[in-house]
């Protein structure tokens, strides 16, 4: 069966795009942070019709299918995870199918399954518009589809989680039949081949596109939702059923062919305000004032603890410099090259982290990359808040902060363009910095416990204080977050020899007592248990458990056995 299926896949895509064997599949089966396992093959279809043929062959052969785009997920949700599967696994990587079509004068975009946020952002920039997320995920080449499937939130407080009700997808019925569902709102024909080949060729016109006020291509309610600071529930989290709809929140339980997304006007004038304080209550008061009283919401509000600043400053320096020099467009290529190198060194028994050690050593040779004022605030303040504002919000923010500061334990400054850009890039380079630290300190670090936490909108005591018995088992902590949304990324580098799972359970118990939800925006992957409502959603989408089995610590077996 294996050789027959491999030959069939090769006949669809060509031998070049069917990868078999440990080294050849390394960059597909090895997750960005977590996840690894055996796969029969990794396949890269080049068209939507090829993607359908690949899926049909896999369904006919009764193998498990993992849909994958950029493989940048932080919870291992687009790779296999260990053992326990009752069928071979085929990874279907969609990055070759990366077209973006702008419709309705750019107010919406049709994104193919491999289209990245960076590609969409570049397509929209000439017409003064932006996607739902413009930095962060886009820095590491994440796909638009991945964001939709994970209800990813991102940094833009006015836009909320990635969401659409307009999509084209395939699913497997209880009778194990692959069917195509066209809810894209575009008339493309009746047969599967006609629909996919017409979309592949762009053979549709404005008259084929249905514009509807009842079918959403973004979370239109989020701006009012996040402003409700008296609500006892979080603003956004992955298990929230209010944003589960077919592809949205599906976590790979459907095979996506295209999504239709709203785009947004880009601010023509932006300023970044940088706040430093040693009193976390000051930041909470600012959050409540901005959400509860401001006429115009900021574009983004990003929090960074001093220790996270230091981590990104040292261990994210090469990523920072690479993006500054080569842009986000080339980051996926760099990650692919690194993954290939890691596969080679692992096969030669040189370890899988030699590249990290070499890159870290090289980064020390470059001069200081952060502006002096940012480093000065790092030296004086524990808590850092970056507020990106545009248009009318700039003057509103300037007057508000001038009235509040300077204050005891805190102050602010208005960034130059260089300072603002560096502050946000340092914040988003921090995501890879914690992975780098783990890689270059294997003697003192057991592993990372990464929690993606959504606090209630009415919570006042937002900054975590751990009991001494938990602190003693942690080498370093790492706190950043989308502060106005009350979404915090809390990561713990666990001391060598400690039980990471037990530590995670103890910290989660503390979060439960605070009314927090987790994960907030990275989805359950293979690290979190999917809550009952989310498990039911997955089973509704994928009754035979053909796609991404085991997600959310659910069954890896056929028919959810």
């Amino acid at each position: 069966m294996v050789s027959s299926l491999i030959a069939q896949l090769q006949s669809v895509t060509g031998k070049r795009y069917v990868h078999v064997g440990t080294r050849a599949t390394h960059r597909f089966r090895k997750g960005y942070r977590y996840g690894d396992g055996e796969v029969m093959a990794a396949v890269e279809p080049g068209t939507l019709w090829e993607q359908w043929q690949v899926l049909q062959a896999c369904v006919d052969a009764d193998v498990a299918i993992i849909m994958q785009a950029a493989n940048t997920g932080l919870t291992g949700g687009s790779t296999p995870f260990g053992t326990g599967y009752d069928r071979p696994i085929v990874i279907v990587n969609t990055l070759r199918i990366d077209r973006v079509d702008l419709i309705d004068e750019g107010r919406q975009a049709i994104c193919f399954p491999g289209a990245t946020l960076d590609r969409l952002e570049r397509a929209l920039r000439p017409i003064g518009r932006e996607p739902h997320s413009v930095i962060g995920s886009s820095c590491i080449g994440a796909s638009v589809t991945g964001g939709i499937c994970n209800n990813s939130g991102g940094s833009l407080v006015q836009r909320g989680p990635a969401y659409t009700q307009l999509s084209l997808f395939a699913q497997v019925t209880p009778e194990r039949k692959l069917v195509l569902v066209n809810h894209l709102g575009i008339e493309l024909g009746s047969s599967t081949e006609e629909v996919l080949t017409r979309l592949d060729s762009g053979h549709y016109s404005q008259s084929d596109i249905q514009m509807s006020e009842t079918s959403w291509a973004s979370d239109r309610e989020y701006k009012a939702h996040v402003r409700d600071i008296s609500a006892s529930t979080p603003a956004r989290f992955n298990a929230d059923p209010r944003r589960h709809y077919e592809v949205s929140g599906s976590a790979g339980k459907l095979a996506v062919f295209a999504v239709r997304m709203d785009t947004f006007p880009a601010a023509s004038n932006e300023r970044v305000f940088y706040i430093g304080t040693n009193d976390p209550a000051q930041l909470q008061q600012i959050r409540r004032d901005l959400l509860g009283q401001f006429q115009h919401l900021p574009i983004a509000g990003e929090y960074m603890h001093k220790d996270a600043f230091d981590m990104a400053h040292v261990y994210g320096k090469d990523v920072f410099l690479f993006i500054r020099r080569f842009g986000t467009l080339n980051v996926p290529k760099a990650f692919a090259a690194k993954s290939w190198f890691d596969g080679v060194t692992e096969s030669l028994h040189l370890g899988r982290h030699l590249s990290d050690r070499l890159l870290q050593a090289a980064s020390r040779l470059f001069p200081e990359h952060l502006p002096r004022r940012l480093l000065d605030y790092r030296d004086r303040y524990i808590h850092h808040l970056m507020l990106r504002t545009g248009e009318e919000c700039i003057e509103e923010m300037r007057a508000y902060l001038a009235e509040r500061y300077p204050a005891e334990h805190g102050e602010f400054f208005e960034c130059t363009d260089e300072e603002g850009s560096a502050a946000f890039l340092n914040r988003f380079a921090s995501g890879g910095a914690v992975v780098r630290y783990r890689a270059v300190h294997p003697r003192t670090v057991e592993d990372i416990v990464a929690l993606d936490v959504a606090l209630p909108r009415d919570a006042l005591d937002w900054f975590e204080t751990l009991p001494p018995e938990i602190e003693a088992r942690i080498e370093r902590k790492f706190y950043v977050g989308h502060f106005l949304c009350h979404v915090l990324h809390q990561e713990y580098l666990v001391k060598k020899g400690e039980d990471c799972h037990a530590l995670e359970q103890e910290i989660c118990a503390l979060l439960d007592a605070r009314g927090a939800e987790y994960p907030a925006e990275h989805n359950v992957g293979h690290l979190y248990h999917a809550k009952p409502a989310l498990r039911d959603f997955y089973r509704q989408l994928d009754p035979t458990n053909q796609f991404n089995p085991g997600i959310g610590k659910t069954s890896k077996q056929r028919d959810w056995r």
Side-chain angles (χ1 to χ4, degrees):
M1 186 268 283
V2 172
S3 59
S4 174
L5 178 57
I6 297 299
Q8 191 173 356
L9 297 175
Q10 290 174 337
S11 72
V12 173
T13 67
K15 291 184 178 181
R16 177 183 177 184
Y17 297 109
V18 179
H19 310 274
V20 180
T22 303
R23 272 185 60 181
T25 60
H26 181 273
R27 67 187 176 97
F28 302 99
R29 60 178 171 79
K30 175 71 177 168
Y32 174 63
R33 278 201 186 180
Y34 299 99
D36 197 357
E38 292 186 8
V39 298
M40 176 193 292
V43 191
E44 298 178 275
T47 66
L48 298 177
W49 178 236
E50 284 187 6
Q51 179 176 317
W52 172 267
Q53 293 174 287
V54 166
L55 293 173
Q56 187 66 72
C58 291
V59 171
D60 290 344
D62 193 27
V63 299
I65 302 165
I66 296 178
M67 299 300 299
Q68 180 190 89
N71 192 18
T72 58
L74 301 183
T75 56
S78 56
T79 65
F81 197 83
T83 59
Y85 299 92
D86 62 350
R87 297 151 290 176
I89 298 170
V90 172
I91 293 175
V92 181
N93 183 282
T94 61
L95 278 187
R96 291 180 63 212
I97 316 172
D98 63 352
R99 204 172 84 221
V100 171
D101 292 350
L102 301 185
I103 62 174
D104 191 23
E105 299 181 329
R107 285 186 283 269
Q108 288 189 333
I110 307 295
C111 297
F112 282 35
T116 63
L117 277 166
D118 178 78
R119 183 181 180 90
L120 177 57
E121 184 181 353
R122 286 185 289 110
L124 292 170
R125 190 177 295 133
I127 60 172
R129 298 188 72 84
E130 294 178 335
H132 63 275
S133 181
V134 295
I135 193 169
S137 295
S138 57
C139 282
I140 55 175
S143 68
V144 176
T145 295
I148 293 293
C149 291
N150 291 327
N151 282 147
S152 297
S155 65
L156 302 181
V157 68
Q158 301 178 32
R159 300 177 193 175
Y163 178 75
T164 188
Q165 297 172 351
L166 298 164
S167 62
L168 177 66
F169 61 90
Q171 65 184 150
V172 175
T173 68
E175 297 75 33
R176 303 188 190 284
K177 181 182 178 182
L178 187 70
V179 297
L180 187 71
V181 179
N182 183 7
H183 289 167
L184 196 60
I186 302 177
E187 177 55 50
L188 295 165
S190 54
S191 73
T192 295
E193 184 172 3
E194 182 185 11
V195 169
L196 295 178
T197 54
R198 280 187 64 184
L199 192 55
D200 264 326
S201 62
H203 186 57
Y204 62 91
S205 65
Q206 182 63 40
S207 62
D208 295 317
I209 301 172
Q210 297 134 25
M211 307 303 294
S212 170
E213 281 299 312
T214 58
S215 295
W216 292 7
S218 63
D219 186 350
R220 300 177 185 175
E221 299 174 338
Y222 188 74
K223 192 182 296 187
H225 186 71
V226 74
R227 279 183 177 271
D228 186 1
I229 55 177
S230 63
S232 59
T233 56
R236 53 182 170 90
F237 56 99
N238 286 134
D240 187 354
R242 66 184 286 272
R243 287 298 169 257
H244 293 163
Y245 189 92
E246 296 179 342
V247 164
S248 296
S250 61
K253 301 303 286 182
L254 299 170
V256 183
F257 288 81
V259 293
R260 182 168 158 185
M261 299 291 298
D262 284 337
T263 70
F264 304 87
S268 59
N269 184 28
E270 292 186 7
R271 301 299 291 177
V272 173
F273 296 87
Y274 199 99
I275 299 163
T277 181
N278 292 317
D279 179 8
Q282 285 189 13
L283 299 190
Q284 183 59 270
Q285 187 59 55
I286 290 172
R287 172 186 168 272
R288 294 180 67 83
D289 288 346
L290 299 190
L291 294 177
Q293 300 176 19
F294 264 45
Q295 183 178 356
H296 304 97
L297 281 178
I299 298 169
E302 290 298 301
Y303 169 76
M304 201 171 197
H305 188 275
K306 177 185 183 298
D307 293 344
F309 187 113
D310 286 334
M311 181 83 74
H313 182 217
V314 176
Y315 295 95
K317 183 177 181 179
D318 58 317
V319 172
F320 182 106
L321 294 174
F322 184 91
I323 292 173
R324 271 292 172 87
R325 177 65 179 84
F326 300 105
T328 57
L329 174 64
N330 292 295
V331 173
K333 299 174 187 176
F335 274 111
K338 180 181 180 300
S339 180
W340 175 85
F341 184 84
D342 290 341
V344 172
T345 59
E346 190 174 0
S347 67
L348 296 175
H349 305 291
L350 298 174
R352 62 173 58 175
H353 298 308
L354 180 59
S355 65
D356 287 289
R357 296 189 182 95
L358 293 174
L359 289 168
Q360 191 57 35
S363 71
R364 297 192 185 101
L365 302 177
F366 289 91
E368 178 56 63
H369 61 293
L370 292 182
R372 182 66 255 169
R373 279 205 291 186
L374 299 185
L375 295 172
D376 177 57
Y377 267 48
R378 183 276 315 271
D379 293 339
R380 293 194 288 133
Y381 297 115
I382 297 172
H383 306 284
H384 300 242
L385 180 62
M386 294 154 267
L387 295 169
R388 181 177 157 210
T389 61
E391 313 299 350
E392 298 93 339
C393 187
I394 295 175
E395 284 303 325
E396 198 172 1
M397 186 69 70
R398 189 176 284 146
Y400 170 80
L401 292 177
E403 185 177 336
R404 286 193 60 88
Y405 291 105
E408 187 178 8
H409 308 305
E411 59 182 316
F412 86 100
F413 67 89
E414 187 171 334
C415 294
T416 64
D417 290 344
E418 165 65 20
E419 290 170 333
S421 172
F424 272 83
L425 187 50
N426 188 55
R427 156 68 181 92
F428 288 106
S430 65
V434 68
V435 180
R436 172 66 55 77
Y437 189 96
R438 175 184 64 179
V440 300
H441 294 282
R443 295 180 181 178
T444 59
V445 174
E446 183 67 28
D447 206 346
I448 303 168
V449 169
L451 295 176
D452 172 30
V453 178
L455 299 178
R457 282 166 283 173
D458 65 351
L460 299 178
D461 187 13
W462 65 274
F463 186 69
E464 180 176 73
T465 302
L466 293 173
E469 60 271 20
I470 293 181
E471 285 275 8
R473 293 144 63 191
I474 297 172
E475 176 80 6
R476 295 188 68 170
K477 294 180 299 185
F478 182 88
Y479 296 143
V480 296
H482 311 309
F483 191 65
L484 299 184
C485 301
H486 250 189
V487 168
L488 297 174
H489 303 300
Q490 303 181 171
E491 309 199 32
Y492 313 88
L493 290 151
V494 183
K495 287 183 178 179
K496 197 70 176 179
E498 294 290 345
D499 185 334
C500 294
H501 179 71
L503 181 69
E504 179 179 0
Q505 296 306 303
E506 292 175 44
I507 296 174
C508 285
L510 298 174
L511 291 170
D512 291 339
R514 298 170 64 194
E517 290 279 356
Y518 48 88
E521 62 179 9
H522 291 159
N523 221 316
V524 289
H526 288 281
L527 300 188
Y528 298 90
H529 285 279
K531 292 189 173 183
L534 193 56
R535 289 201 305 271
D536 292 345
F537 180 57
Y538 293 160
R539 294 189 67 153
Q540 172 196 339
L541 297 178
D542 185 21
T544 67
N545 206 18
Q546 189 96 41
F547 290 107
N548 214 2
I551 198 76
K553 298 185 182 290
T554 59
S555 171
K556 294 179 178 179
Q557 311 293 304
R558 289 180 184 85
D559 303 314
W560 300 88
R561 289 195 295 264

